[in-house]
């Protein structure tokens, strides 16, 4: 068990942080620097793990610009231990934490209107400042999510990094969709984010349909909450299959709750085409590509399409509780790699060679 | 002032109703039949006016199928006087009323979940049964909206027909968008529906931008609530113009409230491209055509796109109140025609030759 005293002793502002920087599209370098001082409300986190997200791939290879100019350390899906804390954040010292992927400022018009995910002064590691593909990261203490120590008996802190985005973002989308046990939830794309979405929806009692083009992924989610799995390349009529399932399920919720978690144009088409009367379509995955849709179907079906930019920090403990309760399993959906393999892993994610969410660890699992 | 006694005396189940029927795409005929008997919860309305909606044009000329097979009398934007009432609806006799364009069943799962506009057993005149391009129409009494007699001193009952759809549908979209006086509202397309939308938004205190391709329409709404008007064909950068206006307006609402009221692919593109952080996009106009959009912008902007299929009857009195209070003017936005001109008027609407909402009247204005 980690305690604050030895950690503090082992780390100071002179401690050297090692980090992988994106220098220009497709080009990285390794850099080292002293951790430096923290302001009163900041902390330095010794990183346990940092998940690789498709947003990172967009920044790294697709020319999508980061808000902070390059060079920049990517990575926004971070877990770790607080090793240095500013004077207003001392109570965090030694704590195991998850860093929200997007940390709102807490005081702007949007934040005061409870629209935290719209905050324009938000802080996103790996986009606004150096992120988590490193040994250490400096973040504001506000919004940190405490990891219960007992959870670490069964799950590594590194693995829990995926809660920072891949678990909480579908969690927030599901919350906004007001998903209930009377609903049918359809996930289009059950890779990183969708695999967790399926589990969260099943935990809430919804009947879950998973759609993907990869049978291995479909097999995995069929063991973790999906009652019907459909391979979009093999199923001639996805809409009819979902409709039959809905009828048989006996669920009386108003309209399908559809979650687009593939972040592909094909997936978005499939998801949009599933709209029925009163449907809610959550756009969770990201692609810069456009899709051709009959937008008027939103009117004809009295339907809603809604996106969410991450998840408000206040919801993180609720999402984490599903992991603590064993309702959302992380282990089958992630694969762990050393930070030193970062470039190879990013390349592999870029080329869709990995089936699970990759997590980079500065140290071997302890 | 109409009273029930003489009306009853003038009308019986043997009274002949005259109606224009759509026989097949693009072809109409005139028919006559006795009004017939009513069931206990039905009423017969002597029609004062029936607005012509683009939905009718879709049914009449574009091959969009009505739910009831042809021949069918189109028209769902109806006002009139109750001249015959079933035994459970006797209290309506002689009343001036607006017939909701979509009347939900009131007892299905959707209705019991307060999702009236999703009701699958809904009753829509001119789609499920014969509608308002006629002298009389038979409808269920549930949901009828009573017109205060004092309003008829200043406005004809015929003109109020447009409340049944062109006023209430944007009203419901605005209600769902939670539009407030701190918001900027943008209407794309200020013909029939948009012209009323602009006025409703202004009545709520929002700063209103109107976008259209027709300068006459823009001039009209500039006198009725729009603070900024933009001709989409003449303005090189609509997005920047809206952004500057928002900044100058000092409104601190979170995200634009955008209302697509043109029902054209171009208008939908313009509206979707206006999405900003936290935006709400209401899809009110209808086109069967598809548009190419970057759906992921909903996620990147934490935005919502929402459609509404009409308006729940319970909201009609609230929308009508804005007319009673003089906050929504109808007269400048409609043009009145005799029912006998119906075919010419429908053709003219089909060919976009009219600038105002056309209302068909079986009788000359009384």
């Amino acid at each position: 068990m980690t305690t604050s005293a030895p950690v503090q002793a082992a780390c100071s502002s002179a401690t050297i942080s090692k980090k992988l920087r994106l220098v220009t599209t497709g080009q990285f370098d390794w850099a080292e620097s002293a951790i430096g001082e923290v302001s009163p409300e900041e902390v330095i986190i010794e990183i346990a793990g940092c998940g690789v997200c498709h947003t990172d791939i967009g920044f790294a290879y697709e020319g999508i610009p980061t808000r902070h100019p390059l060079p920049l350390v990517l990575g926004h899906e971070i877990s770790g231990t607080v090793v240095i804390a500013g004077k207003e954040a001392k109570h965090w010292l030694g704590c195991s934490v998850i860093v929200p992927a997007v940390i709102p400022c807490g005081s702007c018009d949007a934040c005061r209107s409870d629209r935290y995910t719209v905050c324009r002064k938000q802080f996103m590691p790996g986009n606004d400042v150096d992120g988590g593909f490193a040994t250490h990261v400096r973040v504001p203490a506000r919004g940190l999510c405490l990891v219960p120590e007992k959870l670490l008996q069964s799950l590594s802190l590194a693995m829990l990094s995926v809660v920072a985005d891949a678990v909480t973002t579908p969690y927030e989308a599901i919350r906004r969709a007001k998903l209930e046990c009377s609903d049918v939830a359809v996930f289009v794309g059950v890779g990183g984010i969708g695999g967790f979405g399926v589990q969260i929806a099943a935990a809430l009692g919804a009947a879950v349909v998973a759609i993907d083009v990869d049978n291995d992924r479909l097999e995995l989610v069929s063991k973790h909450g999906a009652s019907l799995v459909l391979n979009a390349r093999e199923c001639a009529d996805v809409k009819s299959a979902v409709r039959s399932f809905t009828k048989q399920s006996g669920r009386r919720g108003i309209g399908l709750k559809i979650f687009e978690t593939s972040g592909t144009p094909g997936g978005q088409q499939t998801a949009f085409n599933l709209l029925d009367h009163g449907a809610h379509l959550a756009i969770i995955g990201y692609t810069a590509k456009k899709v051709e849709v009959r937008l008027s179907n939103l009117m004809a079906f009295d339907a809603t399409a809604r996106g969410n930019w991450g998840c408000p920090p206040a919801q993180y403990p609720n999402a984490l509780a599903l992991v603590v309760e064993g309702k959302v399993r992380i282990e089958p959906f992630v694969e762990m790699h050393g930070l030193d393999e970062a470039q190879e892993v990013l390349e592999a994610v870029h080329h869709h060679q990995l089936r699970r969410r990759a997590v980079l660890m500065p140290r071997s699992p302890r």
Side-chain angles (χ1 to χ4, degrees), chain A:
Chain A
M1 200 93 60
T2 316
T3 57
S4 59
V7 170
Q8 266 189 288
C11 194
S12 76
S13 61
T15 300
I16 297 298
S17 169
K18 189 181 168 192
K19 47 200 175 190
L20 180 72
R21 304 188 312 171
L22 178 66
V23 181
T24 183
T25 300
Q27 278 196 11
F28 293 91
D29 70 10
W30 286 101
E32 292 192 349
S33 64
I35 285 173
E37 304 295 328
V38 290
S39 70
E41 287 164 349
E42 283 180 338
V43 296
I44 301 286
I45 288 166
E46 186 183 66
I47 295 172
C50 184
V52 177
C53 177
H54 281 277
T55 310
D56 299 312
I57 303 305
F59 293 149
Y61 301 104
E62 294 161 17
I64 295 172
T66 52
R67 286 196 290 254
H68 187 285
L70 303 183
L72 185 74
V73 181
L74 301 179
H76 56 267
E77 202 170 73
I78 305 167
S79 61
T81 306
V82 177
V83 289
I84 295 182
K87 67 178 182 192
E88 303 295 339
K90 287 291 181 204
H91 54 289
W92 284 107
L93 257 185
C95 291
S96 301
V97 296
I98 295 161
V99 182
V102 175
I103 306 170
C105 78
S107 57
C108 68
D109 287 343
C111 287
R112 281 186 285 120
S113 305
D114 200 20
R115 299 284 302 273
Y116 294 99
T117 50
V118 183
C119 173
R120 304 303 305 122
K121 294 179 185 161
Q122 61 185 221
F123 178 102
M124 182 174 169
N127 190 359
D128 294 302
V129 294
D130 280 345
F133 298 160
T135 57
H136 300 79
V137 68
R138 173 202 309 261
V139 296
R142 65 175 190 277
L144 287 178
C145 176
L146 184 71
V147 176
E149 288 297 323
K150 71 165 186 185
L151 185 57
L152 299 177
Q153 290 164 12
S154 57
L155 213 55
S156 77
L157 182 55
M159 227 173 243
L160 284 171
S161 61
V162 298
V163 172
D165 187 359
V167 174
T168 44
T169 299
Y171 180 87
E172 173 67 3
I174 287 166
R175 193 177 72 88
R176 292 189 188 189
K178 297 186 171 62
L179 189 74
E180 291 181 6
C181 59
S182 58
D183 283 318
V184 171
V186 183
F187 286 81
V188 181
V190 288
I193 287 176
F196 296 119
V198 164
Q199 295 184 77
I200 296 165
L204 294 175
V208 181
V209 180
I211 301 172
D212 206 300
V213 292
D214 181 312
N215 285 331
D216 289 350
R217 283 178 170 169
L218 289 170
E219 195 189 334
L220 183 59
V221 293
S222 73
K223 292 177 192 152
H224 294 279
S227 300
L228 173 69
V229 297
L230 297 171
N231 188 317
R233 288 198 182 128
E234 295 167 8
C235 176
D237 187 350
V238 166
K239 189 158 188 164
S240 294
V242 171
R243 199 175 288 161
S244 302
F245 172 81
T246 302
K247 205 167 277 181
Q248 286 161 21
S249 77
R251 306 295 168 122
R252 304 181 75 179
I254 311 305
L256 285 175
K257 304 283 167 77
I258 308 156
F259 300 89
E260 206 303 307
T261 36
S262 78
T264 64
Q268 291 188 343
Q269 288 280 7
T270 300
F272 200 91
N273 290 342
L274 282 172
L275 285 179
D276 65 353
H277 295 272
H280 181 107
L281 166 61
I283 303 292
I284 307 174
Y286 181 81
T287 169
K289 298 204 178 102
K290 292 183 174 183
V291 290
E292 205 181 48
V293 294
R294 188 191 276 176
L295 211 51
S296 301
N297 280 1
L298 291 173
M299 173 266 205
F301 289 132
D302 203 273
T304 300
R306 192 165 183 191
N308 57 298
W309 181 250
C311 174
Q315 294 300 329
Y316 275 62
N318 301 329
L320 185 59
L322 294 175
V323 180
V324 172
E325 293 162 16
K327 291 177 176 168
V328 171
R329 298 272 324 270
I330 289 182
E331 205 162 352
F333 292 87
V334 295
E335 55 180 77
M336 313 303 287
H337 298 270
L339 176 62
D340 48 8
E341 305 164 54
Q343 291 183 72
E344 295 84 340
V345 171
L346 283 159
E347 277 287 338
V349 176
H350 178 40
H351 292 108
H352 304 283
Q353 288 161 354
L354 304 187
R355 290 236 173 69
R356 299 176 178 202
R357 189 81 161 181
V359 174
L360 301 174
M361 295 180 297
R363 301 185 187 188
S364 310
R366 282 178 286 194

